[in-house]
């Protein structure tokens, strides 16, 4: 997302760690979904999701009735697949800064392996875009509502993506402040991302750390910068990655000491001291507009997907 500084930081402090999830029954469906005026109870998923890599039209046909009936996992997968279409279409309108495709620019600099990976990604974008072009655009506009449904029902991946505002696109436009769901998102997203951490989503750790250290995105602007928590979440991220040299440091001994204590507590409490050195992709949220992995390798919204577990389990 772009650099947006649109609203004052909310004072959250360490007390945010005690925030409890709001009951699903008190929520209304997202503004973009059918029946948005009435709450829908979350139902236990009773059937498997479509296989990874299933064409988007087939995913919609299979999952929309389930999502409308309250199946939160179906709503999550449906929302993420449709948001990917929206993000890919938005990204296709951008012109590279230097006028060169990224793979060509990398190749000219001698980064041939990186250039190959980007070229493969561009092929995936074309294929996914062809699938998306076959879907009624009006259906794709429902994605934010289904994402909200899944997030408020406690689906961890939906919680991460909703909290950081993926439903608002990637352009950096401020138009999203006029969205009917904006105030709810602004109010709920900081606590929701924390609950995603508590559910074991490692990519949410980096998002929280960045929010406590900067205001470089709409979500980050909602959280007051805090050097202790910023460093603490940075330390948790480093421990998850198995990196002995933290990516973020502080010259203040008091900040270092307090952050180290918190990081030890959180790494143990939320991630069972897991180390994900053998699965670095789990540490960062995959951008929907940049499909670096084949779609058939992305198990979107599956139970336990991308959830940290102790080393050796």
């Amino acid at each position: 997302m772009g650099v947006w500084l649109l609203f004052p930081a909310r004072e959250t402090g360490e007390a945010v760690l005690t925030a409890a999830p709001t009951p699903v029954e008190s929520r209304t469906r997202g503004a973009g979904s059918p029946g948005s005026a009435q709450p829908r109870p979350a139902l236990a998923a009773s059937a498997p999701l479509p296989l990874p890599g299933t064409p988007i039209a087939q995913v919609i046909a299979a999952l929309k009735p389930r999502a409308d009936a309250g199946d939160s996992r179906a709503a999550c997968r449906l929302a993420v697949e449709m948001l990917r279409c929206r993000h890919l279409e938005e990204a296709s309108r951008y012109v590279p800064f230097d006028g060169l495709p990224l793979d060509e620019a990398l190749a000219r600099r001698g980064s041939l392996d990186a250039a190959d990976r980007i070229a493969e990604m561009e092929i995936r974008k074309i294929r996914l875009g062809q699938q998306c072009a076959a879907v009624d655009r009006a259906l794709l506009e429902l994605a934010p509502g289904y994402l909200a449904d899944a997030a408020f029902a406690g689906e961890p991946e939906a919680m991460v993506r909703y909290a950081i505002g993926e439903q608002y696109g990637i352009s950096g436009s401020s138009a999203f402040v006029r969205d009917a769901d904006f105030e709810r998102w602004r109010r709920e997203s900081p606590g929701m991302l924390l609950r995603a951490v508590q559910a074991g989503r490692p990519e949410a750790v980096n998002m929280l750390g960045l929010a406590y250290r900067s205001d470089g995105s709409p979500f980050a602007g909602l959280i007051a910068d805090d050097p202790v928590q910023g460093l603490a979440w940075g330390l948790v991220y480093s421990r998850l990655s198995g990196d002995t040299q933290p990516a973020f440091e502080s010259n203040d001994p008091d900040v270092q000491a307090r952050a180290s204590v918190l990081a030890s507590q959180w790494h143990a409490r939320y991630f069972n001291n897991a180390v994900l050195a053998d699965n670095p992709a789990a540490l960062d949220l995959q951008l929907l507009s940049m499909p670096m992995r084949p779609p058939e390798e992305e198990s979107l919204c599956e139970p336990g997907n991308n959830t940290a577990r102790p080393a050796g389990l």
Side-chain angles (χ1 to χ4, degrees):
M1 303 181 73
V3 177
W4 304 344
L5 302 174
L6 300 176
F7 23 76
R10 191 179 81 171
E11 293 293 340
T12 54
E14 294 180 8
V16 73
L17 290 173
T18 63
T22 305
V24 174
E25 290 75 16
S26 70
R27 300 293 174 190
T28 58
R29 288 176 61 83
S33 296
S36 60
Q38 298 295 328
R40 294 204 183 223
L43 302 179
S46 58
L49 297 178
L51 292 174
T54 299
I56 179 63
Q58 296 179 31
V59 170
I60 293 174
L63 295 185
K64 188 175 183 298
R66 289 172 54 181
D68 289 340
D71 184 331
S72 60
R73 188 151 55 93
C76 178
R77 172 73 177 276
L78 181 65
V80 174
E81 294 268 15
M82 294 198 297
L83 281 176
R84 178 161 58 187
C85 286
R86 289 164 52 124
H87 286 200
L88 286 170
E89 192 277 331
E90 194 174 346
S92 71
R93 300 196 295 266
Y94 297 153
V95 177
F97 177 75
D98 57 4
L100 291 175
L102 182 55
D103 57 338
E104 185 175 343
L106 288 168
R108 290 190 180 189
R109 293 201 294 264
S111 302
L112 299 182
D113 289 344
D116 286 344
R117 290 194 295 271
I118 294 300
E120 291 172 356
M121 179 196 72
E122 292 296 335
I123 292 173
R124 294 186 196 108
K125 288 169 65 174
I126 292 171
R127 291 173 176 168
L128 287 167
Q130 290 172 341
Q131 293 182 23
C132 294
V135 177
D136 184 347
R137 188 173 184 84
L139 281 176
L140 299 181
E141 294 301 317
L142 302 179
Y146 287 116
L147 186 70
D149 287 346
F152 285 113
E155 294 293 335
E157 182 168 349
M159 292 169 73
V160 175
R161 294 187 183 277
Y162 177 90
I164 65 173
E166 284 200 345
Q167 64 274 29
Y168 296 124
I170 62 175
S171 68
S173 167
S174 62
F176 75 98
V177 300
R178 296 189 293 272
D179 186 87
D181 193 47
F182 170 71
E183 283 300 329
R184 178 173 67 163
W185 172 78
R186 179 182 180 182
R187 182 176 64 251
E188 301 287 358
S189 59
M192 181 173 286
L193 194 65
L194 174 69
R195 293 194 292 274
V197 169
Q198 294 169 336
R201 296 294 298 199
E203 68 269 54
V205 170
N206 194 35
M207 301 294 182
L208 269 182
L210 290 172
Y212 278 114
R213 293 189 298 271
S214 72
D215 297 316
S217 71
F219 169 77
L222 297 174
I223 294 182
D225 290 353
D226 182 312
V228 173
Q229 293 209 54
L231 178 58
W233 289 117
L235 290 172
V236 174
Y237 182 86
S238 295
R239 295 177 186 192
L240 284 167
S241 68
D243 192 347
T244 57
Q245 183 64 34
F248 305 99
E249 299 180 348
S250 171
N251 294 323
D252 187 327
D254 180 61
V255 169
Q256 292 176 356
R258 293 165 59 196
S260 181
V261 170
L262 289 175
S264 295
Q265 293 174 352
W266 297 341
H267 189 210
R269 182 184 308 161
Y270 304 135
F271 300 100
N272 297 311
N273 293 315
V275 176
L276 303 176
D278 60 343
N279 186 22
L283 290 166
D284 296 295
L285 192 67
Q286 176 71 43
L287 295 178
L288 297 177
S289 61
M290 298 183 68
M292 296 301 294
R293 293 177 298 205
E296 58 270 18
E297 294 180 7
E298 294 189 336
S299 300
L300 302 172
C301 300
E302 292 286 358
N305 181 44
N306 229 36
T307 302
R309 290 291 181 265
L313 292 186

